[in-house]
């Protein structure tokens, strides 16, 4: 088991610096344009694929880093470049995590490569869980999956919303209800292969931030998929459902449904994204405060500015520590006794909103304009307290864990 340390290895530092260079030289120069266009930045994703950042191999190397720090280090650097473009590059990873968390080895080997495509023909994937009436309340999910035993096929019907890459993805991972009586315990995850009839893109959302990332509804109308597309397989699902039915009356059983298993694995990574955005705003505000002069001296000489920067740096470092701890715990198999994963996502998300807002304040009127990037960073930061579990949900998870209550 790897010991927890703040000292990155030489290999980790090399990857960090390489990603930082890509973020600085490729992502940042394109950030303003794609934010305004509100379109998927395919040319940037293509460049990421050419250098090996957008690939299964790179993602796997970081995911299986024995220290657990590969993913958070990568996320922080890419999102330091720009949150919208970075999410377009890493958004496929959420679908990949869904397969890794719930799929068989054969399913992992079959579907994850198809999510990325290749250098000459890049693809993206989508993880579809939220619904118009079921966001934080996953137990209210209505999308149904019914098994057609005669044809060994699953038939999916419903509407998903807030899906990153929804509708434009080659592969969609869809969470659906297989047993409504079991609530969130009656959910399962399914692969919808490329070009499957019945899956269409619904509304594409025009968003406040992360505009370069495609977010849309996914409509499923009598979507038929092979039985082999049930992640984990039917035998495993039947066993799990049987256990849940037996214990349903007892209450208090802590059973992870398919969506929650994915979110739990990805929450520290989202925290790292937030740290990257916060750090980007802090870096810009610090340089601005050092060079902007008022009343004959740099504004950083004023305590009102200097103290804000001191607080910003402290909060960013604290957030990173929480993210790294949770990532290390998850990788080394240490149980989240106090919902450390949710803690990391909560604190980092709130830090990103606060720090980017402080950056605007330090820049004054300039910070309020699109001529300066902190305005965009502040808009982007708003998403971290919302997606993959709102801040309120993170607090609920933490509180219920501390109270010894079941997480549903």
């Amino acid at each position: 088991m790897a010991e927890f340390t703040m000292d990155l290895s030489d290999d980790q530092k090399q990857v960090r610096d390489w990603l930082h260079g890509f973020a600085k030289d490729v992502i940042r120069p394109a950030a303003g344009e794609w934010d305004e266009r509100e379109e998927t930045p395919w040319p940037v994703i293509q460049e990421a694929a050419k250098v090996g950042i957008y690939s299964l191999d790179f993602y796997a190397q970081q995911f299986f880093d024995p220290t657990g720090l590969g993913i958070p280090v990568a996320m922080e650097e890419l999102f330091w470049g720009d949150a919208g473009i970075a999410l377009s590059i890493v958004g496929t990873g959420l679908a990949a995590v869904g397969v890794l968390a719930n799929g068989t080895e054969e399913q992992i080997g079959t579907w994850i490569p198809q999510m990325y495509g290749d250098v000459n023909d890049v693809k993206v994937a989508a993880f579809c869980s939220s619904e118009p009436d079921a966001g934080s309340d996953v137990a209210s999910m209505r999308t149904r999956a019914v098994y057609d035993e005669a044809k060994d096929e699953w038939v999916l019907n419903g509407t998903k919303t807030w899906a990153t890459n929804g509708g434009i993805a080659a592969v969609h991972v869809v969470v659906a209800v297989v047993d409504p009586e079991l609530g969130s315990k009656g959910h399962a995850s399914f692969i919808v292969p490329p070009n499957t009839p019945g899956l269409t893109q619904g509304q594409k959302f025009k968003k406040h931030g992360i505009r370069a990332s495609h977010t849309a509804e996914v409509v499923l109308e009598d979507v038929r998929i092979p039985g082999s597309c049930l992640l984990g397989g039917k035998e495993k699902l039947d066993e799990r459902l049987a256990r849940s039915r037996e214990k349903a009356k007892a209450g208090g059983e802590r059973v992870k449904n398919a969506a929650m298993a994915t979110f739990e694995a990805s929450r520290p990574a989202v925290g790292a994204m937030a740290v990257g955005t916060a750090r980007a705003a802090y870096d810009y505000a610090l340089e601005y405060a050092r060079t902007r002069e008022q009343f004959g001296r740099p504004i950083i000489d004023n305590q009102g500015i200097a103290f804000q920067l001191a607080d910003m740096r402290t909060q960013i470092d604290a957030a990173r520590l929480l993210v790294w701890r949770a990532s290390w715990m998850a990788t080394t198999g240490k149980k989240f006794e106090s919902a450390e994963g949710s803690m990391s996502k909560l604190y980092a998300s709130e830090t990103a909103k606060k720090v980017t807002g402080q950056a605007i304040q330090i820049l004054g009127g300039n910070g309020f304009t699109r001529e300066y990037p902190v305005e965009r960073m502040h808009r982007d930061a708003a998403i971290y307290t919302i997606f993959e579990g709102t801040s309120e949900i993170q607090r609920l998870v933490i509180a219920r864990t501390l109270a010894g209550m079941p997480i549903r």
Side-chain angles (χ1 to χ4, degrees):
M1 179 184 295
E3 294 296 324
F4 181 72
T5 176
M6 292 295 294
D7 294 325
L8 298 179
S9 68
D10 289 341
D11 287 344
Q12 288 170 327
K13 290 177 182 177
Q14 185 176 10
V15 171
R16 178 198 63 191
D17 295 344
W18 171 51
L19 292 171
H20 185 80
F22 184 84
K24 179 182 177 182
D25 298 335
V26 180
I27 293 178
R28 281 204 166 180
E33 174 189 352
W34 292 99
D35 177 72
E36 292 289 342
R37 291 176 63 168
E38 299 191 50
E39 297 174 358
T40 300
W42 291 107
V44 183
I45 300 175
Q46 183 86 36
E47 289 301 311
K50 287 180 181 178
V51 300
I53 294 173
Y54 187 76
S55 70
L56 172 60
D57 288 344
F58 174 75
Y59 186 83
Q61 287 175 13
Q62 307 317 308
F63 187 85
F64 292 110
D65 182 328
T67 69
L69 301 185
I71 290 294
V73 167
M75 294 301 104
E76 180 176 338
E77 294 305 326
L78 292 173
F79 280 74
W80 175 88
D82 176 69
I85 291 179
L87 190 56
S88 289
I89 294 173
V90 308
T92 294
L94 183 57
V97 168
V99 176
L100 287 168
N102 302 295
T104 64
E105 290 186 7
E106 182 179 357
Q107 289 170 331
I108 292 170
T110 299
W111 295 112
I112 293 184
Q114 294 187 49
M115 293 180 176
Y116 289 90
D118 56 44
V119 173
N120 298 316
D121 185 20
V122 294
K123 305 291 186 183
V124 294
F127 182 77
C128 308
S129 177
S130 294
E131 298 183 2
D133 296 318
S136 298
D137 182 11
V138 294
S140 296
M141 190 177 294
R142 295 180 180 178
T143 297
R144 291 292 308 274
V146 178
Y147 184 57
D148 184 342
E149 189 171 357
K151 296 183 178 180
D152 185 26
E153 292 180 339
W154 287 91
V155 184
L156 276 59
N157 281 282
T159 299
K160 295 296 182 178
T161 193
W162 310 121
T164 298
N165 298 328
I168 66 170
V171 176
H172 291 76
V173 178
V174 177
V175 181
V177 179
V178 293
D179 189 333
E181 294 183 0
L182 292 177
S184 62
K185 299 174 187 178
H187 296 176
S189 287
F190 300 85
I191 290 286
V192 180
N195 303 314
T196 298
L199 185 150
T200 57
Q201 178 183 307
Q203 175 187 5
K204 177 186 175 182
F205 296 103
K206 296 181 72 67
K207 305 188 297 294
H208 175 67
I210 55 167
R211 294 177 177 177
S213 174
H214 176 97
T215 309
E217 291 181 331
V218 174
V219 180
L220 304 132
E221 295 179 312
D222 292 328
V223 173
R224 285 186 168 268
I225 56 175
S228 60
C229 288
L230 165 64
L231 289 179
K234 193 167 188 305
E235 182 178 347
K236 183 178 178 181
L237 172 65
D238 289 342
E239 291 175 355
R240 176 168 64 83
L241 294 178
R243 289 196 304 270
S244 296
R245 292 186 190 107
E246 289 174 2
K247 298 180 180 180
K249 294 182 180 180
E253 183 191 15
R254 296 192 181 197
V255 177
K256 297 176 186 175
N257 64 56
M260 290 181 68
T262 300
F263 290 143
E264 184 172 312
S266 63
R267 276 171 180 159
V270 176
M273 298 173 189
V275 171
T277 299
R279 193 183 109 212
Y282 163 78
D283 286 348
Y284 199 94
L286 176 62
E287 182 61 24
Y288 185 90
R290 285 171 173 169
T291 57
R292 172 70 168 174
E293 292 191 0
Q294 289 288 279
F295 306 105
R297 60 180 182 177
I299 62 173
I300 199 171
D301 288 351
N302 298 307
Q303 277 191 349
I305 299 297
F307 282 9
Q308 282 194 72
L309 289 164
D311 287 344
M312 292 160 73
R313 176 59 185 268
T314 301
Q315 291 158 3
I316 290 168
D317 282 11
R320 184 184 297 109
L321 278 167
L322 286 170
V323 166
W324 282 21
R325 180 185 69 169
S327 299
W328 171 76
M329 290 176 68
T331 298
T332 56
K334 289 190 175 294
K335 188 177 180 181
F336 287 172
E337 297 285 356
S338 303
E340 288 85 353
S342 289
M343 283 184 183
S344 70
K345 200 266 186 185
L346 169 65
Y347 190 80
S349 298
E350 297 291 341
T351 293
K353 282 187 68 174
K354 184 174 181 179
V355 166
T356 54
Q358 288 175 303
I360 290 178
Q361 192 68 26
I362 289 171
L363 268 68
N366 287 332
F368 198 66
T369 71
R370 294 190 183 182
E371 298 300 314
Y372 292 79
V374 293
E375 176 270 343
R376 183 180 69 250
M377 294 169 185
H378 188 52
R379 285 189 285 108
D380 291 342
I383 193 59
Y384 299 126
T385 63
I386 298 172
F387 74 173
E388 295 196 50
T390 64
S391 287
E392 291 74 21
I393 289 296
Q394 305 308 323
R395 290 185 174 98
L396 178 63
V397 170
I398 296 166
R400 292 182 71 90
T401 301
L402 297 179
M405 300 172 67
I407 307 301
R408 295 190 294 271

